[in-house]
Amino acid sequence: MKLNELTIKEAHEGLRQKKFSSLELVRACLGQIKRLDPKINAFITVCEREAAKEAERADKILGQKPTDISARPLLGIPVAVKDNFCTKGLKTTASSNVLADFIPPYDATVVTKIKDAGAVILGKTNMDAWAHGSSTETSDFFTTHNPWNFNRLPGGSSGGSAASIAADETIASLGSETAGSIRQPSSWCGTVGFKPTYGRVSRYGLIAMASSLDCPGPIAKTVSDAAILLRIIAGKDPSDATTSSYAVPNYLEKINKGTKGIRVGVAKEYLAVAENEIKEAVLAAVKTLEKMGAKVKDISLVDPKYAIAVYTILQRSEVSSNLARYDGIRFGFGREKFGQEAKRRIMLGTYYLSAGYYEAYYLKAQKMRSIICRDFEKAFKDVDVILGPSAPTTALPLGASKDHPMFGEMMDILFEPSAIAGLPGLSLTCGFSAEGLPIGMQILGPQFSEELLFQVGYAFEQATDWHKRKPKL
Amino acid sequence: MMRQIGQISQIRRANYQPIIGLEIHIELKTKSKMFCGCPADHFGKPPNTQTCPVCLGLPGALPVPNRKAVEWTIMAGLALGCQIPGESKFDRKNYFYPDLPKGYQISQYDQPLAISGKLGNIGICRVHLEEDTGKLVHVEKATLIDFNRSGVPLMEIVTEPDLTSSDEAKEFLQNLQRIIKYLGISEADMEKGQMRCEPTVNLEIKKGNLTVYTPLAEIKNINSFRFVKRAIDFEVQRQFEEFERTGIEKQAGNKVTRGWNEQKGITILQREKEEAADYRYFPEPDIPPMRFERKNIEDLRKKLPELPEKRARRFIREYGVSEYNAAILIENKGKADFFEEAVSYARELEKPPGTKAIGDWIVNKRVDLAKTSPENLLKAILAKAGAATLDDSELIAAITSVLGINQKAVIDYNNGKEPALMFLVGQVLRRTKGKGDPGQIRLLLEKELHDDKKR
């Protein structure tokens, strides 16, 4: 096995046992990037020299104080970071021409946290500009290609992070989700994506898209890797007033407790939206869990189509305000550099918030948001988790998002309700289409049920081989 | 003819009444800014030396509200007799200006921290908290931005349109400033921009049986109490004249913004259709709503110092000072505290001077509080009081004795050497061991010497 193909867990063990050095590990990833990224385009910036230097530093620590690795679970491990997380001294663009040359003077909290855990930042990954999209096609720079089929989209907006994991260009990666931006590309690229409870992970330093929904989260090769990463980045942050002081458990502790007795809800409204192939794969996954002792129950949720309207209104409104600072006065370029999608969102959001329309749109959407929250609360009285399809389709061909202003909203229909409610969701592979593309399923839980979601996801992963499949590259 | 028009104007003038509401911004003197850890004290600091990603509005930065600023604003609300709703929140006020780095100001829209108060007979509509903007510095061919002020906590107080004259407005502001300073939450210095006032003015005019109103004008750029008065006076006159000329009445959408020009002493039109501005307010998603328990509010109420008006009434009641002197004693908290310290110090003495006398002394002697202590003040009062108890006969005896011993000084004085008199005063004081009022001794000496000469 090549070093770049390792999981966090395997890499950590290897480094601990001195089977290889961090520099070798980093070089393996850099080599894969050099070989493949011209075709995949997952990275906007690759920190070749800095990463090698950081790896050497990690190796020094491993040599001098080998016990340090126990306290630093990412020591010497390469991580790819989505390009909407501010990285001190390292160009951060949000894939927008407006910030094409922006070098932040500070690190996002999650970046500080992974650095403190010893991570080596490998580079910054491509995304839809400002995270506006589900394809990476709205990136002002280039489109990322799906490692499973270069003619397909990786999904988005964290398409670069998901593709870099799927192509083994990195060991771990960070993404962000507003409604689907972690789970949808994970489902299309066959990776594990975890969208945490809103407020579980600090947004400080994450370039804001829709502030009341934005959520950093891990994109990884396995469920336990995602659990390792989340534990590192989660927690109360004095710099983000919306973070929760709810204690962060060691997600690995109960991860192998199995699914016996766990009540799994399956919503017919969610299955109805998905393509047949996906529906079948998800139902097969339900059977697998049932065989392992889970209690499956059919449930009914508010039709996810309503979430599209609610999400669109709230998100556009916040976007129009969040992008106001990019006026070209203090940093970055002027407003003329905004792409079509950003302009559309600014105009729509400005309209929703305007005097005379606010009540009809924004306020109404907030009321509907409460209804969706209550709907989930009600559902979680009867079941512990809800299982359903991730994206309604497998990876679509390049160009699919062009001329479809609502492309993202349609692709994210099954993520929007839980995102609006601030709930956590885990997306992982539960099969492959006839074309050989990954099929994703998601497991949703109540707020702060991360531990349970990892437990169910891990049990499924252990019982199946889907995660072991790799694209032929 | 000219004279006649003037007379008509005079008559009409009696038939209008200014309607004035005030919007007051006060910079709170918290240690750190409203939403970040940068120092809030920005006056005179080198440009852009007190900034961070948050107050510069850099991508990804987030605001964390300053608890102290929230508490202080609630305390101000309580001091102004306001109700404190159990729930409050921040909102975004979206507009573009180069001194506003995020493209929106974090302010409060429909759920301010305090509502429905009263100061004197002027209604307080609301008290809310927001952030200050940066400052534009215009130099030749360029405009520079200093963000030291960006994010400084700014408390906004809005009155009902209950004021009817510029004098009333000035008095209200001075009263308010005193309360703010008593609370210790701001220096509220208008010249330093720590307290800013924007009056909104229009006129109610009686025309026969009809009552009409002139368009509202909000006046900006006023930086002293004196100019508040002058700006309102100018605006009242201007509106009256404009109404006579055009007859335009107040209607939706014709509120204007006018700027006070200090040099010319006039207000100048800045913006028309002020109400048309659409700030697209919506709840600030980066800051969770605030909830206050009754107990929290009552705890803050307990922290309120005794406010000036109440303190004046107590000084009159408890210490017997005159109403006039009480008003002067409470002018600032330092002076009132000084007075009460002197009173409490006096109480430890065997033969204390009266509390009224202490108050009178501070007011009449215009005591420089910076240069003395309550203890020294009492010593001075006691010395004077001692003099008062000295018998006139004792004093005359001392003077006679001094004049008898110091014949040379008497001759010098009679020869026109003025300093000799001061020498004699000193000698008398020495004999009375410092008792006696030097002024009185001087008068008695002069009389004695004069009589002497005649003899």
Side-chain angles (χ1 to χ4, degrees), chain A residues 289-458:
Chain A
L289 288 174
E290 201 167 20
K291 264 186 228 155
M292 293 159 63
K295 288 181 181 147
V296 176
K297 196 179 167 192
D298 287 329
I299 60 163
S300 175
L301 289 170
V302 169
D303 192 319
K305 74 179 182 196
Y306 294 110
I308 295 182
V310 175
Y311 173 71
T312 304
I313 292 167
L314 297 179
Q315 184 249 71
R316 303 296 197 269
S317 299
E318 293 182 24
V319 162
S320 72
S321 175
N322 282 335
L323 293 186
R325 69 187 61 188
Y326 303 103
D327 52 22
I329 293 176
R330 288 147 301 132
F331 50 80
F333 296 101
R335 290 168 176 154
E336 70 281 0
K337 297 274 186 181
F338 275 120
Q340 283 302 314
E341 184 60 26
K343 283 183 193 165
R344 254 199 304 270
R345 293 193 185 202
I346 292 169
M347 288 175 71
L348 202 51
T350 305
Y351 173 80
Y352 290 144
L353 291 175
S354 297
Y357 297 97
Y358 179 79
E359 290 76 10
Y361 294 106
Y362 188 86
L363 269 191
K364 208 179 211 173
Q366 284 292 21
K367 281 178 193 157
M368 190 61 204
R369 185 180 201 171
S370 305
I371 291 173
I372 291 168
C373 289
R374 283 202 299 275
D375 186 47
F376 275 115
E377 275 167 31
K378 210 182 89 202
F380 285 123
K381 277 179 186 154
D382 295 330
V383 296
D384 299 310
V385 297
I386 295 170
L387 197 141
S390 278
T393 69
T394 50
L396 292 175
L398 298 177
S401 78
K402 305 272 181 196
D403 308 318
H404 291 288
M406 294 298 282
F407 177 84
E409 281 60 41
M410 295 312 295
M411 285 303 114
D412 292 335
I413 179 166
L414 295 175
F415 308 113
E416 280 153 4
S418 53
I420 286 168
L423 306 179
L426 168 65
S427 178
L428 68 165
T429 309
C430 65
F432 282 81
S433 70
E435 294 175 299
L437 293 168
I439 295 171
M441 70 170 188
Q442 58 172 335
I443 308 166
L444 305 173
Q447 292 202 333
F448 301 105
S449 65
E450 280 80 2
E451 204 172 13
L452 180 63
L453 300 188
F454 283 128
Q455 187 185 320
V456 176
Y458 184 78

Side-chain angles (χ1 to χ4, degrees), chain A residues 86 99 102 105-106 198 203-207 211-212 238-242 317-318 321-322 324-327 329-331 335 350 353-355 358 362, chain B residues 52-54 56-65 92 94 96-98 100-104 145 147 278-288:
Chain A
C86 284
L99 293 179
F102 175 62
Y106 77 109
Y198 180 78
R203 292 180 292 119
Y204 188 74
L206 166 65
I207 296 179
S211 313
S212 72
S239 298
D240 178 355
T242 61
S317 299
E318 293 182 24
S321 175
N322 282 335
R325 69 187 61 188
Y326 303 103
D327 52 22
I329 293 176
R330 288 147 301 132
F331 50 80
R335 290 168 176 154
T350 305
L353 291 175
S354 297
Y358 179 79
Y362 188 86
Chain B
C52 74
V54 177
L56 287 175
L58 291 188
L62 297 172
V64 176
R92 288 189 186 177
N94 295 284
F96 169 78
Y97 208 67
L100 189 69
K102 298 189 294 295
Y104 56 84
I145 317 177
F147 287 105
D278 183 355
Y279 293 115
R280 305 189 309 278
Y281 280 102
F282 75 103
E284 167 57 277
D286 289 330
I287 305 173

Side-chain angles (χ1 to χ4, degrees), chain B residues 66-114:
Chain B
N66 183 329
R67 176 184 290 265
K68 189 112 245 173
V70 172
E71 287 181 359
W72 281 3
T73 302
I74 293 175
M75 283 171 73
L78 290 170
L80 297 173
C82 290
Q83 293 168 25
I84 310 298
E87 207 171 300
S88 182
K89 67 173 167 70
F90 287 100
D91 297 279
R92 288 189 186 177
K93 181 181 182 179
N94 295 284
Y95 69 95
F96 169 78
Y97 208 67
D99 64 8
L100 189 69
K102 298 189 294 295
Y104 56 84
Q105 179 191 33
I106 304 178
S107 179
Q108 296 195 274
Y109 182 52
D110 54 353
Q111 289 184 270
L113 284 163

Side-chain angles (χ1 to χ4, degrees), chain B residues 31 60 79 94 126-127 134 138 201 232 242 264 268 272 274 295 300 307 337 347 378-379 381 430 433 436:
Chain B
K31 269 206 192 89
N94 295 284
R126 56 187 279 157
V127 183
H138 302 283
V201 178
I232 292 174
E242 186 180 80
K264 294 184 182 158
I268 294 166
E272 282 181 291
E274 170 63 22
K295 195 190 164 299
L300 289 175
L307 295 171
D337 287 347
R347 281 182 176 151
L378 276 183
K379 278 185 187 153
I381 296 174
R430 201 167 172 188
K433 296 194 173 97

